[in-house]
Amino acid sequence: MLRLSGKAVYKGVVLGKVVVVKKNEQPVKRIKITDIDAQISRLEKAGEEAQKQLRKLYNKAVKEVGETSAAIFEVHQMMLEDEDYMDAIHSMIRTEMVNAEYAVAVTGDNFSEMFASMDDDYMRARAADVKDISNRLVQNLMGQGEVDLSAMEPSIIVAEDLSPSETVQMDKEKILAFVTVHGSTNSHTAILARMMNIPALIGVPMDLDEIHTGMNAVVDGFCGEVIFEPSEEICVQAEEKMRDEEEKLLLLQTLRGKENVTLDGHKINIYANIGSVGDIGYVLENDAGGIGLFRSEFLYLGREDFPAEEEQFAAYKQVVQTMAGKKVIIRTLDIGADKQVDYFNLGKEDNPAMGYRAIRICLKQPDIFRTQLRALLRASVFGNLSIMYPMITSVEEVRKIYAVVEDVKAELDRAQVPYRMPEQGIMIETPAAVMISDELAELVDFFSIGTNDLTQYTLAVDRQNERLDDFYNPHHKAILKMIRMVVDHAHKAGKWVGICGELGADLELTEEFVRMGVDELSVAPSMVLKLRKAVREISFSD
Ligand code: PEP
Ligand code: MG
């Protein structure tokens, strides 16, 4: 039995089998070889393995996202057979007498650079694909083929770290819990775990060589513990806790259909945050009044190329239609920082959280923005859709956004494509936006306060840095004063204001937020009914 502690990002208990997900982080070494044929045969075997993996991925993707999006895996299969690419690897092994993985890695880099420098957009986008297939070959050569999660039973995922793009690719039905060595409580991986309602522990000092796939484990998000190979007694206790939790959740279900109203009649909207169309089920299950934040960038993660307008349109349409007239606030692309996507070719930055991200990308690369806006406007006729823009710091940015929106509207008008102009709001998540919120309020229909980034930028604490978790204090007076200021400015201009950062779900602050006059709290679906319960117990006269 091995008992370890970590930081819980979602409270809950599970008992299940472990799957260890290891990533290839070993550097590829250049090794002088003598047996060329042996290296060529290793390369061929790795290539066959890669073809098999890609075929599987293609079949899975066809079922889940359709043929057009799955086609990328066919492209990869073809690239693996490309003569120029393969000849270059063979030639390097022969002439330089080096190991196959080194020859693949170097050739992959050379080809990828060559594609990246081409004029043609399509060819440029292939740079990431060559990198991808080269990495796949290297992984297979180093005996670290990917873990096939498609065939696994619901399991506890144990890993060194998980990026948001890895997390979104996982089949949520198959994950009982996450346990990672690294990660910060405010990262998007943690947010995803909360959204998925699954216990998650981060910062667990595990030696992954000691933990094996197939082990039993208990993950207890209440006391922040994971117990590998638990005793019979601990399993029984865990099962009891799971039953208790189940009962509490059932009790909360009695609040479905009830109003979010204090004992003295103050009402507040409680909406849910989602990251994918698949999350709507949780929204409905938990009786949220709407969707206060659809992080649309998750549609862009964990894939090989930009989602086309049609694909985005279908996703937005499905969300607004399923919500049947309830408010759905879709945030435009907030990529960058910890949400990295290879095909954006964002490049390495020293300070990605303060870098080229979110609305900055949209304003600098308007084609990407226009595609999303077209999809959003077209989806607007199917329900109650609002658009929200992230990372705003100035009035000029909002004006520039509106100019792009006007352009897109004119384009749709010319093509006689129907749309209904949605409400447009902005995230208040930079101190600059707080300080000019009086001016911004005149320009927009609503505000939603992003306390995750607002805390990061106000306290100068990188939300990704696990060593700073103790310094990341969203209860800081400065943050609460800022929220109050934003609420006052919004109301003065007759606009409504919500909170969609994680702080909105903090039950210690619910009463304070209601007293401040916050109009909406948008939280992980699993928190909606807990928040409703808290609101219904508040009495202003106390
Ligand atoms: C926030 O910053 O509070 C927010 C809601 O956005 P995200 O967590 O996606 O950055
Ligand atoms: Mg943010």
Side-chain angles (χ1 to χ4, degrees):
M1 193 162 85
L2 174 65
R3 190 179 211 130
L4 298 167
S5 295
K7 285 177 268 186
V9 295
Y10 180 83
K11 295 186 172 32
V13 183
V14 289
L15 166 66
K17 290 260 186 252
V18 163
V19 166
V20 180
V21 179
K22 280 195 185 166
K23 282 183 263 181
N24 175 23
E25 272 163 7
Q26 275 170 253
V28 177
K29 290 198 191 100
R30 180 189 171 102
I31 300 170
K32 265 278 179 226
I33 52 110
T34 48
D35 188 347
I36 293 174
D37 289 343
Q39 293 303 316
I40 301 284
S41 127
R42 285 183 67 227
L43 178 65
E44 278 167 4
K45 259 180 73 189
E48 281 162 22
E49 186 62 34
Q51 290 285 8
K52 260 197 249 160
Q53 294 162 344
L54 289 165
R55 224 174 356 260
K56 254 196 197 163
L57 279 173
Y58 174 78
N59 291 335
K60 180 171 185 279
V62 166
K63 274 193 229 128
E64 291 175 4
V65 291
E67 232 163 89
T68 322
S69 305
I72 190 66
F73 297 115
E74 278 189 325
V75 173
H76 281 199
Q77 280 181 283
M78 283 190 283
M79 282 173 117
L80 261 178
E81 284 164 5
D82 182 83
E83 276 183 21
D84 290 340
Y85 174 69
M86 275 300 164
D87 283 354
I89 301 173
H90 280 226
S91 147
M92 187 162 188
I93 296 177
R94 287 183 200 287
T95 53
E96 296 192 27
M97 306 283 284
V98 287
N99 51 324
E101 40 276 69
Y102 183 76
V104 171
V106 173
T107 310
D109 283 350
N110 291 344
F111 271 66
S112 154
E113 265 173 41
M114 179 179 80
F115 280 123
S117 65
M118 289 183 176
D119 286 335
D120 184 90
D121 279 352
Y122 178 80
M123 294 313 278
R124 257 204 317 276
R126 301 286 71 82
D129 295 325
V130 185
K131 261 243 155 75
D132 225 62
I133 55 167
S134 303
N135 287 343
R136 183 176 293 282
L137 279 177
V138 169
Q139 272 190 3
N140 292 347
L141 280 162
M142 293 171 89
Q144 294 172 334
E146 59 189 22
V147 182
D148 181 4
L149 297 179
S150 60
M152 81 178 191
E153 288 173 39
S155 307
I156 296 166
I157 304 291
V158 173
E160 199 69 39
D161 202 358
L162 291 169
S163 69
S165 64
E166 286 162 327
T167 318
V168 286
Q169 282 184 80
M170 293 182 175
D171 181 349
K172 297 172 194 178
E173 299 299 315
K174 299 205 162 147
I175 304 171
L176 295 177
F178 289 123
V179 184
T180 61
V181 179
H182 301 291
S184 102
T185 30
N186 313 297
S187 68
H188 282 92
T189 302
I191 290 174
L192 276 170
R194 283 193 277 270
M195 226 133 67
M196 288 153 79
N197 282 0
I198 56 172
L201 284 189
I202 58 173
V204 180
M206 305 173 279
D207 176 353
L208 288 197
D209 289 332
E210 281 179 12
I211 317 287
H212 307 294
T213 295
M215 275 180 161
N216 282 321
V218 167
V219 180
D220 187 336
F222 290 100
C223 56
E225 269 188 350
V226 53
I227 303 148
F228 294 101
E229 300 295 33
S231 64
E232 189 60 37
E233 192 190 340
I234 290 193
C235 290
V236 172
Q237 284 169 3
E239 275 163 355
E240 244 169 59
K241 275 195 189 173
M242 284 160 75
R243 269 195 302 276
D244 277 1
E245 258 313 280
E246 196 69 25
E247 273 169 28
K248 274 193 208 144
L249 289 177
L250 273 176
L251 218 62
L252 274 178
Q253 289 293 317
T254 57
L255 291 176
R256 286 175 56 96
K258 301 249 164 82
E259 279 190 311
N260 310 306
V261 60
T262 65
L263 291 168
D264 20 30
H266 293 266
K267 287 188 191 154
I268 185 165
N269 287 320
I270 302 182
Y271 294 166
N273 294 346
I274 64 167
S276 70
V277 178
D279 293 338
I280 314 177
Y282 305 132
V283 177
L284 300 175
E285 250 169 55
N286 291 287
D287 194 33
I291 291 171
L293 168 63
F294 178 1
R295 288 182 165 95
S296 72
E297 61 275 9
F298 286 134
L299 290 177
Y300 293 70
L301 296 190
R303 51 186 296 145
E304 311 287 332
D305 210 343
F306 292 97
E309 179 182 322
E310 280 314 307
E311 187 183 338
Q312 292 193 50
F313 165 67
Y316 305 147
K317 176 180 163 191
Q318 195 179 337
V319 176
V320 290
Q321 262 183 341
T322 315
M323 290 304 289
K326 288 186 177 161
K327 199 181 264 305
V328 175
I329 302 176
I330 303 183
R331 175 173 78 182
T332 58
L333 185 62
D334 186 10
I335 219 81
D338 62 328
K339 289 173 282 197
Q340 287 292 329
V341 190
D342 283 350
Y343 59 82
F344 269 77
N345 289 319
L346 294 180
K348 205 171 151 29
E349 293 179 300
D350 284 343
N351 287 307
M354 297 202 267
Y356 187 53
R357 57 172 295 196
I359 204 67
R360 299 167 185 182
I361 297 179
C362 290
L363 290 174
K364 284 267 182 204
Q365 290 174 256
D367 284 350
I368 299 175
F369 195 28
R370 294 169 71 94
T371 304
Q372 182 169 36
L373 288 172
R374 280 179 62 97
L376 285 167
L377 289 185
R378 285 174 54 202
S380 65
V381 291
F382 295 93
N384 183 358
L385 185 150
S386 304
I387 306 182
M388 177 157 75
Y389 306 105
M391 283 295 292
I392 297 298
T393 61
S394 71
V395 164
E396 290 71 33
E397 281 162 358
V398 179
R399 294 222 162 94
K400 280 186 189 152
I401 292 168
Y402 285 176
V404 182
V405 173
E406 283 309 309
D407 233 39
V408 170
K409 277 166 61 183
E411 204 174 86
L412 294 175
D413 287 338
R414 277 196 301 277
Q416 296 186 330
V417 176
Y419 65 89
R420 195 183 302 144
M421 193 49 215
E423 278 197 347
Q424 296 179 91
I426 56 171
M427 301 268 309
I428 300 286
E429 53 183 344
T430 64
V434 173
M435 297 312 290
I436 57 164
S437 49
D438 49 349
E439 288 177 57
L440 290 168
E442 300 293 338
L443 278 180
V444 301
D445 296 314
F446 65 92
F447 284 156
S448 189
I449 306 175
T451 51
N452 309 336
D453 277 317
L454 187 59
T455 306
Q456 148 164 279
Y457 298 126
T458 305
L459 305 185
V461 171
D462 177 358
R463 67 193 262 197
Q464 282 300 112
N465 188 335
E466 62 202 71
R467 288 169 72 189
L468 299 179
D469 273 357
D470 290 345
F471 293 89
Y472 184 94
N473 174 19
H475 284 217
H476 195 293
K477 243 195 215 163
I479 306 294
L480 297 176
K481 272 189 165 180
M482 283 172 146
I483 295 174
R484 188 181 293 276
M485 182 175 180
V486 173
V487 173
D488 291 346
H489 282 157
H491 288 173
K492 237 180 237 163
K495 308 296 162 66
W496 68 265
V497 52
I499 298 177
C500 63
E502 298 295 289
L503 198 64
D506 190 327
L507 296 168
E508 278 178 43
L509 291 173
T510 310
E511 177 160 354
E512 193 162 344
F513 290 150
V514 176
R515 283 179 188 271
M516 278 184 196
V518 171
D519 302 289
E520 174 243 28
L521 294 169
S522 191
V523 298
S526 59
M527 287 303 297
V528 169
L529 293 173
K530 290 181 191 165
L531 219 51
R532 179 170 298 164
K533 181 169 180 288
V535 169
R536 293 173 66 87
E537 285 164 5
I538 294 172
S539 163
F540 278 18
S541 48
D542 282 348

